[in-house]
Each structure stands twice: as C-alpha cells, then as structure tokens.
Amino acid sequence: MCRCMRDGCVTLLIMATRRALHFVFKVGNRFQTARFYRDVLGMKGITLASSQAVSNARKLEWPLSEVAEGVFETEAPGGYKFYLQNCSPPQPDPVLKVTLAVSDLQKSLNYWSNLLGMKIYEKDEEKQRALLGYADNQCKLELQGIKGAVDHAAAFGRIAFSCPKKELPDLEDLMKRENQKILTPLVSLDTPGKATVQVVILADPDGHEICFVGDEAFRELSKMDPKGSTLLDDAMAADKSDEWFAKQNKLKASG
C-alpha cells in the first residue's frame, strides 16, 4: 500500500491493482535481437527462471557462463546481460526481476516505495541492494547501488507498469506535489481501430524512465496475436533500413 494526499486526507491505495508490464530496450540489430528473445529465451526478457531457456541457448550454441550453481549469464545483442536460472519458473511469469543501477539507494527506495507504492521484499545495506514489487507473484524490481552517478549512455530504455485508469491523474498530481520529474504529462494515445490508452511517463532520481499506463485499455491492446512473429519479421525486412544507412554512408549498429 502507498500513501498519497488527496483533499488533505490520507488515501490508501491497494497496490495489488498495479502490475509490472515490460521493459523497453534500444537495440541495434533487430533480427539478431528478435532471434535471441524468441529462440533462446523462448519469449512470446533480467533474471529468468527457465530451464527451457538454458536448454535453448545450449542447443543454439549461444554463449553461456555459469556464475553460480544453476545460474548462467548470457548476453543479448546490444550488450544487455541476462541471468538464466536452470529451473522451472515458480510463478506464471518466468521473468523474476529487472535490475536498475542507482546512485543513492535510500533516495531511490523513498521514490519507488513511498511515492510509487512498491513493497520492499528485501533490503541489504551492506550489499547496497533492495528488492521491490507490487505483488508476490509478479516480476520484481531490484535496485543495486553503485559508486557514482548512473551513466545511461545511449542505450537505456523504459520500464512500464499498469494501474487502473482512474489512478493516473492522482499519480501525476502526487509527483507534481513532490516536485518529481514528469517526462510526459498524462496523455491519451490513440491506436487506429483499437483501444485508446492513457499514459504518464515519469523519471526516478537517477533518470530511469517509468511509464504508467491505464490497465483496462492496455489489456485490450496487448492481446496475443498468433501472427505476431511473422508480422514482425515481415516489417523488419520491408523497412529498407540497410538501404537507408548505405545511402547516408553510415554504419548500421550490429550489436
């Protein structure tokens, strides 16, 4: 539960209404990246509990390095690291956690827990890490303290959560009152022929982007398309990006 102020009163919001959705990465080689997520990780991914993913990586001869008993480190095109646990997932979502680097653990905990309402599951001052989440059976967020500022370079992405649409205005108001950064004020995004979603995009103390989206419309938009994999391949093949880079005499990212 989190506390927010409305009309001078304390309002309790049950965080079970919020859920982790996805993390957005910037990538270079989309074909190799798609192959990694689909063929190695088996995703329709960052710590993933999936013996099938480990088996897939071995079968496809994707580099694996055992960093602990039953835990393997691998790397996606673009340099993003993934940790695969060689076991069956303990929950419906095999993605166990997403780790973000933070420069000040206590400051980040205040933001993610006190303002965004995440429950603190674990906290280790000595190792400068904490594990948070909105529900026991959801993907968790791990905050890992580092020495110095967080360098996002050009490859950082955005983490997304959903909540009931009616909570979005209150969330935006809370961030305004607390003088927190709002990258994109609450806005409605139209998708032709589909649901219109409302989103607000925030930034935590280290500049990590956080998108909150109305859950009702997002559920409609995120339904599984049985032709999705084929449509993605066709779209990437038809975008003529290789031709564009060649004309601009620029080197296309290969990672």
Side-chain angles (χ1 to χ4, degrees):
M1 302 177 107
C2 75
R3 302 173 64 204
C4 69
M5 299 300 297
R6 183 197 295 168
D7 299 330
C9 299
V10 176
T11 302
L12 295 180
L13 299 177
I14 299 177
M15 291 300 99
T17 60
R18 297 185 178 180
R19 63 191 181 103
L21 297 181
H22 55 254
F23 194 89
V24 179
F25 295 104
K26 290 182 180 179
V27 302
N29 189 315
R30 291 171 298 164
F31 293 97
Q32 285 299 317
T33 300
R35 176 172 177 259
F36 174 77
Y37 286 120
R38 291 185 298 199
D39 298 342
V40 177
L41 298 187
M43 297 182 69
K44 293 251 165 161
I46 335 188
T47 299
L48 188 79
S50 174
S51 55
Q52 185 61 55
V54 175
S55 176
N56 291 343
R58 288 170 171 165
K59 181 179 179 180
L60 295 171
E61 298 183 347
W62 200 280
L64 285 176
S65 176
E66 189 166 15
V67 294
E69 186 176 355
V71 179
F72 296 85
E73 179 183 291
T74 188
E75 192 171 290
Y80 297 106
K81 290 185 178 181
F82 287 77
Y83 295 90
L84 311 180
Q85 292 187 1
N86 193 15
C87 62
S88 299
Q91 57 195 47
D93 187 352
V95 181
L96 300 182
K97 64 183 179 182
V98 173
T99 303
L100 297 181
V102 298
S103 59
D104 186 324
L105 181 61
Q106 192 53 50
K107 189 174 182 179
S108 293
L109 282 173
N110 177 67
Y111 183 90
W112 288 93
S113 181
N114 294 340
L115 297 183
L116 294 186
M118 278 191 156
K119 175 183 175 181
I120 300 176
Y121 284 87
E122 299 174 12
K123 182 180 178 182
D124 190 324
E125 293 282 2
E126 184 177 351
K127 294 183 178 180
Q128 282 293 288
R129 64 171 294 275
L131 192 69
L132 304 92
Y134 280 125
D136 295 350
N137 62 347
Q138 290 185 20
C139 173
K140 302 300 186 297
L141 175 71
E142 182 179 55
L143 302 178
Q144 178 61 62
I146 61 173
K147 295 180 179 179
V150 176
D151 181 7
H152 296 282
F156 70 100
R158 174 186 300 153
I159 195 165
F161 302 92
S162 71
C163 66
K165 182 175 70 172
K166 64 182 181 182
E167 290 185 10
L168 292 173
D170 291 339
L171 178 60
E172 183 181 46
D173 288 344
L174 173 63
M175 292 300 158
K176 288 179 179 178
R177 289 195 303 272
E178 296 292 332
N179 294 316
Q180 298 297 326
K181 186 175 292 186
I182 299 175
L183 300 178
T184 302
L186 183 58
V187 63
S188 295
L189 302 177
D190 292 326
T191 305
K194 296 183 180 181
T196 296
V197 296
Q198 286 190 307
V199 303
V200 60
I201 302 176
L202 315 173
D204 80 348
D206 288 291
H208 295 296
E209 293 188 15
I210 312 147
C211 176
F212 275 90
V213 57
D215 188 70
E216 300 88 343
F218 184 83
R219 287 182 184 273
E220 183 177 337
L221 284 178
S222 59
K223 291 178 180 177
M224 176 67 179
D225 186 341
K227 298 180 180 179
S229 187
T230 299
L231 291 172
L232 174 62
D233 289 338
D234 291 345
M236 289 191 296
D239 73 358
K240 298 182 179 180
S241 60
D242 289 335
E243 182 179 320
W244 184 89
F245 274 93
K247 287 182 178 180
Q248 299 297 319
N249 196 28
K250 294 182 178 181
L251 182 65
K252 184 176 180 179
S254 60

